Structure formats: C-alpha cells, structure tokens
Amino acid sequence: MAITDWPEGERPRERLLAHGPAALSDAELLAIYLRVGVRGKSAVDLARDLLNRFDGQLGILVEASLDELASVSGIGMAKAAQLKASFELARRALTQEMGSRDNFTSPGKVRDWLRLKLAHRPQEIFMALWLDAQNRLLKAEELFTGSLTQTSVYPREVVKSALSHNAAAVILAHNHPSGVAEPSRADEMLTRSLKEALAMVDVKVLDHFIVAGTTPPLSFAERGLI
C-alpha cells in the first residue's frame, strides 16, 4: 500500500508536521527524505531495507560509501548522492557547533567532535587540539596525513606548532580507518615521545584519542597510557 493510502495520522510527513521530527522513527525520517518507494514497497519499506543493510545503525549508514548506498535495491546512485549530501550538511553543521572554544572543556564533547572530524576519513590523520591555560580551544590542526594504515609524525614539527599557537596544553588524536580503536605499540611509543618533547616547552599532553568507526574514541588517559 502506498503511503498516500495510509490513514492521514499514520503518514510520516503528516506526523512530523503534527508532532515534530523527534516523534518519528529512523525509518520514517528516512522515508520523508526518500519521498517515494519502488514497485511493491512504500518509502517506509525502502527506508527499513536501507537501515537493515547497515545493521539498523544510523552511524554505519552515515559512513557508508556512495556505492554501498546505491547497492541497496531501490536506492540507486541518484538517491545515494542525495543521502550523502544530506549527511555531509548535517556533519558540517554539527562540526561548526562543536567548534566553539568552550566545548573543549568537556571530555564527552571532545569525543563527539573528534568523531565528526575523523571517523569518516579514509586515510590516517594526526591532529592536535591546542588549548590555552583554561583548556579552551586555540586551534584544531591537522598536522600529518598518511595512508590507510599509518602516518609519519615528527615531534619537532609538533613542538614548532605548539610554540606558534602559544599553547599551554594539547589533546592529540588520530584515526584508524580499519575501524579498530586499540592502540598499537607504535602509538604508545609516539605518545610518550611527544609528551616528553612537548614537556620541554611547558606544553602538557592531556590525552591522546584514537577514533575508529562508530565506536567511542579510545582515550589514552583513561587507559593509563599518558
């Protein structure tokens, strides 16, 4: 049955207008965006298929590639492109909101911001969040970019950047495109080297996060590795 044949009080668009977007399920919200279904399936059915393809998790859906989205029956490349565009707009809006200097005094907000910045990147990125003496953000800086599996990080360049921003502290972060957040032996050795180098110029390393897929970023401080 087409959505237009449903009782008005059950149609996603009418429900959104009457009760607001928070009242709708993930599938209903996607259905409004998709607008139409395919032969034998309503837009809600198609939205459910799309969610099921990615284990029912919006985080995985948002990170899916164009080809992965388009491979779902009834989606195709045009709808996939529309979805990716909407996801990117939402990501940019959230990134701007999280970019407020004062947000970096909250560990939870730091994790959220780092996921927005790094979780979707296809190659390893090493970045530094330079902070002032009150742990407010001075600059979020991508220092090094690598391959799918590794990035070369040079302590001397990190120290130069700290001095250029007159930073008092730093939160380090990098992503693992593999989706596995566990730190390698090389990650632990690099963190110690950077902590020692930055201590020479009175910059404290508060934490080092590894961002991997949809899981919460791993904290070196919480693991006792700082």
Side-chain angles (χ1 to χ4, degrees), residues 142-153:
E142 294 185 10
L143 292 170
F144 307 101
T145 301
S147 65
L148 288 171
T149 57
Q150 62 182 358
T151 304
S152 296
V153 178

Side-chain angles (χ1 to χ4, degrees), residues 45-67:
D45 294 328
L46 185 56
R48 287 172 180 153
D49 288 349
L50 185 61
L51 283 167
N52 289 337
R53 167 64 175 78
F54 299 100
D55 299 327
Q57 298 187 43
L58 283 176
I60 298 177
L61 172 63
V62 168
E63 300 301 333
S65 68
L66 275 170
D67 288 340

Side-chain angles (χ1 to χ4, degrees), residues 28-225:
E28 288 173 322
L29 290 170
L30 279 171
I32 291 174
Y33 189 81
L34 294 172
R35 296 182 58 197
V36 296
V38 294
R39 184 181 295 273
K41 290 184 178 181
S42 69
V44 173
D45 294 328
L46 185 56
R48 287 172 180 153
D49 288 349
L50 185 61
L51 283 167
N52 289 337
R53 167 64 175 78
F54 299 100
D55 299 327
Q57 298 187 43
L58 283 176
I60 298 177
L61 172 63
V62 168
E63 300 301 333
S65 68
L66 275 170
D67 288 340
E68 288 172 329
L69 292 171
S71 70
V72 178
S73 178
I75 298 299
M77 192 56 73
K79 281 189 174 71
Q82 291 175 332
L83 286 167
K84 288 300 286 185
S86 67
F87 296 156
E88 181 59 25
L89 283 172
R91 190 197 311 278
R92 292 183 186 185
L94 288 169
T95 298
Q96 289 177 8
E97 180 184 349
M98 291 300 302
S100 167
R101 293 178 71 208
D102 293 335
N103 276 330
F104 287 82
T105 59
S106 163
K109 290 182 177 180
V110 172
R111 276 189 163 94
D112 290 342
W113 191 89
L114 288 171
R115 283 183 64 185
L116 287 171
K117 291 293 288 185
L118 297 177
H120 66 292
R121 304 291 284 272
Q123 72 273 40
E124 275 205 13
I125 308 292
F126 184 91
M127 70 183 307
L129 308 181
W130 301 114
L131 309 173
D132 65 14
Q134 286 74 46
N135 291 342
R136 293 175 301 188
L137 182 68
L138 296 170
K139 177 73 174 180
E141 186 175 21
E142 294 185 10
L143 292 170
F144 307 101
T145 301
S147 65
L148 288 171
T149 57
Q150 62 182 358
T151 304
S152 296
V153 178
Y154 303 99
R156 181 173 180 271
E157 296 303 314
V158 177
V159 170
K160 284 173 60 178
S161 182
L163 292 172
S164 71
H165 295 298
N166 194 30
V170 66
I171 296 172
L172 305 171
H174 75 281
N175 61 317
H176 282 179
S178 66
V180 179
E182 284 300 311
S184 66
R185 180 64 176 163
D187 291 334
E188 295 180 22
M189 292 175 63
L190 173 63
T191 303
R192 283 197 293 270
S193 295
L194 291 174
K195 182 179 179 181
E196 292 170 1
L198 288 165
M200 298 293 291
V201 292
D202 294 324
V203 175
K204 184 177 181 179
V205 177
L206 300 179
D207 209 337
H208 184 172
F209 287 96
I210 297 178
V211 180
T214 59
T215 60
L218 179 144
S219 163
F220 276 52
E222 291 177 358
R223 285 283 188 93
L225 298 174

